[in-house]
């Protein structure tokens, strides 16, 4: 009886070790099974966090090619896409102390805004099938240093509509408007885009002749 009492603590310790060992073996087996299942299962995609990589093959302003799918479709009209871009841009600035993203490189700009638009085709003008123009003069500037945001163009259609001769543009305050050629010439210069004037273009054509 006395010998049994002396062995009892040892037996309890052995039992505890056995239970812990069995638990460890079971946990390891489950982990290994999950790892094997993940290796053979197809990757899950979610429209909320799946981004499209842009092929940087063409020149700035040229067509861009999505290299992945799985995102919801973008709005079908240029004004709706421009409005979505401006909202995403303002969301970005609120996360980065009112500082605008790099805007002098379309590829870098799109990667900066992808987490906010989540639809890669938003960057494409559905009418001309090219990237929307970006005001590169605003690159990395602070919103607080920019006056007259309601008249500062940030995004724009690179070509006007052939029928109406007007183009959609987005302003830094989030508004989107349709401008005729005269308005575009005036506001684009004031915004720092500085498109070539008709006089300059005509002079170049005559020089070529």
């Amino acid at each position: 009886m006395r010998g049994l009492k002396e062995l009892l603590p040892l037996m309890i310790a052995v039992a505890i070790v056995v239970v812990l060992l069995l638990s460890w073996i079971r946990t390891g087996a489950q982990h290994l099974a999950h790892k094997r299942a993940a290796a053979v299962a197809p990757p899950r995609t979610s429209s909320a966090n799946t981004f499209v990589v842009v092929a940087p093959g063409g020149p700035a302003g040229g067509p861009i090619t999505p290299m992945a799918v799985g995102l919801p479709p973008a709005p079908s009209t240029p004004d709706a896409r421009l409005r979505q871009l401006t909202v995403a841009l303002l969301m970005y600035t609120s996360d980065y102390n009112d500082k605008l993203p790099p805007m002098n490189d379309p590829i870098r700009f799109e990667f900066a805004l992808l987490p906010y638009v989540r639809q890669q085709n938003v960057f494409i003008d559905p009418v001309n099938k090219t990237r929307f123009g970006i005001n590169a003069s605003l690159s990395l500037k602070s919103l607080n240093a920019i006056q007259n945001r309601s008249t500062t163009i940030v995004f724009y259609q690179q070509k006007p509509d052939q029928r109406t001769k007007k183009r959609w543009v987005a302003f830094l305050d989030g508004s989107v408007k349709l401008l005729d050629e005269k308005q575009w010439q005036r506001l684009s210069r004031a915004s720092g885009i500085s498109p070539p004037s008709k006089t300059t273009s005509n002079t170049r054509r005559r020089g070529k002749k």
Side-chain angles (χ1 to χ4, degrees):
M1 209 49 197
R2 185 176 180 182
L4 184 60
K5 289 182 179 181
E6 293 176 352
L7 291 175
L8 186 59
L10 180 61
M11 294 172 63
I12 293 174
V14 171
I16 292 174
V17 171
V18 170
V19 170
L20 293 175
L21 183 61
L22 290 175
S23 177
W24 179 81
I25 292 174
R26 184 174 64 180
T27 302
Q30 291 176 347
H31 177 73
L32 184 60
H34 286 308
K35 189 174 182 180
R36 288 178 177 175
V40 298
R44 295 182 179 180
T45 58
S46 171
S47 60
N49 55 13
T50 302
F51 301 136
V52 176
V53 178
V54 179
I64 57 178
T65 305
M67 298 176 63
V69 293
L71 297 176
S76 58
T77 59
D79 56 319
R81 293 189 181 188
L82 286 170
R83 191 170 288 106
Q84 188 169 342
L85 274 178
T86 55
V87 170
L89 182 69
L90 295 177
M91 291 172 62
Y92 174 96
T93 57
S94 67
D95 288 341
Y96 289 88
N97 297 321
D98 292 331
K99 187 176 182 180
L100 291 163
M103 302 176 69
N104 52 3
D105 183 341
I107 303 301
R108 291 180 61 199
F109 172 77
E110 290 174 18
F111 273 106
L113 246 64
L114 271 175
Y116 300 89
V117 296
R118 299 189 178 186
Q119 295 167 309
Q120 191 268 337
N121 284 342
V122 173
F123 299 102
I124 305 175
D125 178 0
V127 175
N128 299 314
K129 309 303 180 184
T130 58
R131 286 185 178 93
F132 284 115
I134 305 171
N135 189 347
S137 68
L138 300 176
S139 182
L140 300 176
K141 286 188 176 181
S142 172
L143 284 178
N144 299 325
I146 300 173
Q147 298 179 348
N148 302 323
R149 299 181 197 175
S150 61
T151 58
T152 301
I153 297 174
V154 60
F155 306 119
Y156 55 92
Q157 282 185 297
Q158 299 204 47
K159 297 179 181 179
D161 187 280
Q162 293 182 354
R163 297 171 301 172
T164 64
K165 306 302 180 183
K166 295 181 179 181
R167 73 183 78 207
W168 286 102
V169 303
F171 296 91
L172 201 54
D173 67 342
S175 61
V176 176
K177 297 179 182 178
L178 191 61
L179 303 183
D180 59 28
E181 188 61 24
K182 186 176 181 179
Q183 293 171 317
W184 161 250
Q185 291 285 337
R186 176 174 58 84
L187 290 173
S188 59
R189 285 196 186 92
S191 301
I193 300 173
S194 298
S197 64
K198 292 182 179 179
T199 304
T200 304
S201 300
N202 293 334
T203 303
R204 288 178 180 175
R205 290 193 188 100
R206 292 170 185 169
K208 288 182 180 179
K209 292 180 181 179

